Amino acid sequence: MADLEPRGTGVTPQPPAPSLAAEGEESVLGRSYRGLSIGIVSVVLLIAFEAMAVGTAMPVAARELDGISAYGFAFSAYFTTSLFGMVLAGQWADRRGPLGALTAGIGGFAAGLVLAGTAGAMWLFVLGRAVQGLGGGLVIVALYVVVGRAYPERLRPSIMAAFAASWVVPSVVGPLVSGAVTEQLGWRWVFVGIPVLVVLPLGLALPQIRRRAAGPVKREGEAAAPSFDRRRIRLALGISVGAGLLQYAAQDLRWWSFVPAAVGVGLLVPAVLGLLPRGTYRAARGLPSVVLLRGVAAGSFIAAESFVPLMLVTQRGLSPTLAGFSLAAGGATWALGSWVQARARVEPYRERLMTVGMVLVAAAITTLPGALIDSVPVWTVAVAWAFGCFGMGLVISSTSVLLLHLSAPEQAGANSAALQMSDGLSNALLLAAGGAAFAALGGGTVAHTTTTTASGAASHPAAFVAVFLPMAGVALVGAWVTTRLRER
C-alpha cells in the first residue's frame, strides 16, 4: 500500500496569487474550487484504485504471460522508475509550473497501463509497469505543487485530507472489484479500463490548473525561473538505473548476472549516499533512523504483500476475487492505525507505538507461510494482514510526523525527499530480492489450477517461505530501529 502525502517532492509549495486566494475561500467544494477539487481528487482516487487492484490481477497476468519467475520485477519496476519521476517533476514544476509535469505524468501513467494491458510477453508487461511508474512519480509531485499554488493556506488541510481519504475506499473495494473484473472480463481490463476513466476528471481539473497554477512562480527580485539541479537529477537517474540493473540480475541468477549487478551497485551506492542523510544505513540516532525506518517498514510490507494473492491463487486454489478479499480489511485497519497515532494523548508514547507497529508487521508476515498448510483456514491470512496493516498505520504516519519534528524549516523539503526516496528504493530492492529468492526455489513453475495445487504437483511452497520469512526478519530490524529515533 502507498499514500499520496506531500513528501519526497523536493518542492516547497508556493502560495497562490492574492486575487486567487481571496476567491472562493469558503471551502474546497465552493464555486471557485469545485471543478479543480473534484478533478484532482478523482485522479488520486483512480491512481489509488489501480494501485490496490493490480495485486489481485497480477497472478493471472503473470501466469498467462508465462512470467511468474519475474513476478516481483513486475511490481518493483514501478517503484524504480517512479523515483526518477519524482525528482524530475520537482525540478520541472519549479521551473515551468506543475501543468506540464502533471499532463506528461498522466499521459505516461495511461500509456504504461495500456502497454501492460495489451502485452503479449512478460518483458513488455514489465516495461509497461516501468512507464506507468515514471508517470506516477510525475503525477504525485505535480498534484501537491498544484495544491500549494492553487489553494489558499487555510484550505490546504482539507484538500490533503481528501487525498488521504481517496485511498481508503480503493484499499477496501479495489481488490474485490479487480478480482471480479479479472474473472468475468479478463485481467487486461484491470489495466486498459482506467485510462478511459481519467478523461473526465482531467477535463474538470486542467482548465482550473491552467488558470491558477500553470506557470512558474517568480519571487520578487528574481529575473528568471530557477534552473534544474542537474546533480540531483543525475543521482536520481543513477538510483533508478542501478536498482533496475540489480532487479534484472536477480531474475536470472547465472554467472553472467554478476556484470549487471556490479554495474547496478556502482551506480546505486554513490547515488544513495548523495541523496539520503548521513548515517542512514548505520541507523544513526534521530533523523537518519527515521528515514531508515520508513524504508524498512515500507519495503518489508510491500514485498510480502505482493506475493500474498499469488500464494492464495496458486497454492490454495482461491479465485482472484477471494484472494483480493483477504487483503480488503487492511485498508480500514491502516486508517485506524493512522487515526490512533494522531491522537494528542498518545504523543508521549509515539516511539513505543512505532515499536508495537513494527512487531505487528513482523508477526503478520510470519503468519503467512501457515496458509501453505491445507489444514490452516485461509481466513487467517485476512486476520493477520488486518493486524499488519494496523501496525503500518501506526508507523508510516508517525515517520512523517517525526521527520518534520526533527527538521529545521529550511531543511524540511530535502528531508521529505529523502524519506520518500528511502520508501521507494526499499520497495524496489526488497521486491527484487524476494523475487530472486522466489525464482531460485522454483517459484516460476508454481501451478495455477486448483487441481494441480491439490495434488501437490508442481507446487513450490518453499519459494513463498523464502520471500515471507526474510521480510519478517527485515520488519524485526525495523522494530530495533524504532529504539533509535530519539536524539540524545
Side-chain angles (χ1 to χ4, degrees):
M1 184 176 294
D3 59 356
L4 282 174
E5 294 181 7
R7 62 182 188 274
T9 65
V11 178
T12 302
Q14 303 298 329
S19 60
L20 296 177
E23 218 181 307
E25 282 190 338
E26 65 280 1
S27 75
V28 295
L29 291 178
R31 180 176 56 84
S32 298
Y33 292 98
R34 187 180 301 126
L36 177 62
S37 298
I38 293 174
I40 62 177
V41 170
S42 297
V43 170
V44 174
L45 183 68
L46 290 171
I47 290 175
F49 177 81
E50 190 278 336
M52 296 298 105
V54 67
T56 306
M58 195 72 81
V60 180
R63 179 185 63 86
E64 287 192 9
L65 297 174
D66 194 26
I68 289 182
S69 61
Y71 185 81
F73 203 179
F75 283 98
S76 59
Y78 180 98
F79 295 111
T80 300
T81 54
S82 68
L83 294 171
F84 179 69
M86 291 171 193
V87 175
L88 179 61
Q91 301 287 317
W92 191 345
D94 271 347
R95 186 176 180 84
R96 299 175 183 171
L99 182 61
L102 180 62
T103 53
I106 291 291
F109 191 81
L113 285 169
V114 172
L115 182 57
T118 58
M122 193 61 178
W123 71 268
L124 278 173
F125 184 85
V126 172
L127 178 61
R129 291 285 291 163
V131 173
Q132 187 186 343
L134 179 62
L138 290 170
V139 170
I140 288 172
V141 173
L143 282 177
Y144 280 96
V145 177
V146 168
V147 171
R149 299 274 187 90
Y151 291 87
E153 187 172 356
R154 78 177 192 89
L155 292 184
R156 291 174 197 163
S158 297
I159 196 67
M160 293 297 184
F163 280 5
S166 297
W167 281 86
V168 176
V169 174
S171 67
V172 175
V173 305
L176 302 179
V177 174
S178 173
V181 170
T182 299
E183 289 183 48
Q184 301 301 320
L185 300 176
W187 65 268
R188 296 181 185 276
W189 283 99
V190 175
F191 293 89
V192 300
I194 291 178
V196 178
L197 299 177
V198 174
V199 173
L200 179 59
L202 277 183
L204 289 172
L206 286 181
Q208 292 291 322
I209 295 173
R210 185 175 293 109
R211 174 180 167 223
R212 297 175 179 274
V217 171
K218 293 184 180 180
R219 298 178 180 86
E220 188 176 350
E222 284 185 341
S227 60
F228 283 93
D229 185 344
R230 291 183 174 85
R231 175 181 174 275
R232 185 172 178 81
I233 291 178
R234 285 196 302 269
L235 290 175
L237 183 60
I239 282 184
S240 292
V241 174
L245 288 172
L246 281 176
Q247 293 162 48
Y248 174 76
Q251 297 307 308
D252 192 4
L253 298 177
R254 302 181 184 181
W255 66 267
W256 53 263
S257 299
F258 173 78
V259 176
V263 175
V265 169
L267 290 171
L268 193 62
V269 171
V272 168
L273 292 176
L275 289 172
L276 297 185
R278 187 183 300 275
T280 296
Y281 287 102
R282 56 182 175 83
R285 288 192 174 275
L287 181 65
S289 285
V290 173
V291 173
L292 176 61
L293 178 63
R294 180 54 165 264
V296 167
S300 60
F301 182 86
I302 293 296
E305 183 183 55
S306 300
F307 284 85
V308 172
L310 183 66
M311 175 187 70
L312 295 178
V313 169
T314 62
Q315 302 300 297
R316 296 302 298 267
L318 267 63
S319 67
T321 301
L322 288 178
F325 185 74
S326 68
L327 304 177
T333 57
W334 186 307
L336 178 62
S338 297
W339 180 84
V340 168
Q341 66 80 36
R343 300 303 90 196
R345 68 182 65 178
V346 306
E347 180 60 36
Y349 312 104
R350 182 174 297 281
E351 287 78 8
R352 294 182 188 177
L353 276 180
M354 296 172 78
T355 303
V356 171
M358 289 310 304
V359 170
L360 286 175
V361 172
I365 298 174
T366 303
T367 304
L368 295 177
L372 295 165
I373 303 172
D374 289 339
S375 60
V376 175
V378 175
W379 56 260
T380 59
V381 173
V383 173
W385 214 240
F387 279 99
C389 287
F390 178 77
M392 287 294 287
L394 293 175
V395 173
I396 295 299
S397 296
S398 289
T399 56
S400 297
V401 172
L402 281 178
L403 179 107
L404 294 176
H405 176 71
L406 295 171
S407 300
E410 67 274 10
Q411 296 175 335
N415 291 341
S416 296
L419 193 75
Q420 182 75 341
M421 193 73 67
S422 177
D423 188 319
L425 179 62
S426 182
N427 286 340
L429 294 183
L430 289 181
L431 274 166
F438 182 76
L441 291 179
T445 60
V446 295
H448 175 67
T449 62
T450 56
T451 302
T452 305
T453 303
S455 67
S459 180
H460 294 273
F464 291 97
V465 175
V467 175
F468 295 140
L469 291 188
M471 296 309 154
V474 173
L476 284 176
V477 171
W480 169 76
V481 175
T482 62
T483 66
R484 301 182 59 81
L485 300 178
R486 284 193 181 275
E487 294 178 322
R488 288 182 178 175

